[in-house]
Amino acid sequence: QVQLVESGGGFVQPGGSLRLSCAASGSFFSIQDMAWHRQAQGKERELVAAINPGGARNYGQFVKGRFTISRAGANTAYLQMNSLQPEDTADYYCNVGYRHRPTGGVLRKWGQGTQVTVAS
């Protein structure tokens, strides 16, 4: 069983920055990839950024160099978001792949989400 704790959301003015964090804990063999998705009101959930255990990253096309995903150790991921714009307003969700204990199968877990609001 994996528990995810997300933090760092909030209100920021256009051009501002926020850093989201996602920490995984519980009973599992290992955390595989870690990712952030977002869902704006009335829109589908979309990938923001993902990072695998080797450090390879990929980003949604809308990121355009403004966001950076990183990992601290094996079980924590950060999303540094700079130059935020009103269109970045959404609920942001952490999603991780993990190796289930005891089967070793790879499962996925969603966090509960953290709200990001960008407005003047």
Side-chain angles (χ1 to χ4, degrees), residues 82-107:
N82 300 326
S83 301
L84 284 161
Q85 299 302 317
E87 52 266 33
D88 295 314
T89 296
D91 292 322
Y92 284 70
Y93 297 89
C94 181
N95 179 258
V96 304
Y98 67 98
R99 289 207 175 272
H100 178 264
R101 182 188 296 271
T103 66
V106 177
L107 303 178

Side-chain angles (χ1 to χ4, degrees), residues 3-23:
Q3 291 81 46
L4 299 179
V5 176
E6 300 157 318
S7 63
F11 178 92
V12 65
Q13 293 186 333
S17 298
L18 287 173
R19 189 176 81 154
L20 307 183
S21 66
C22 175

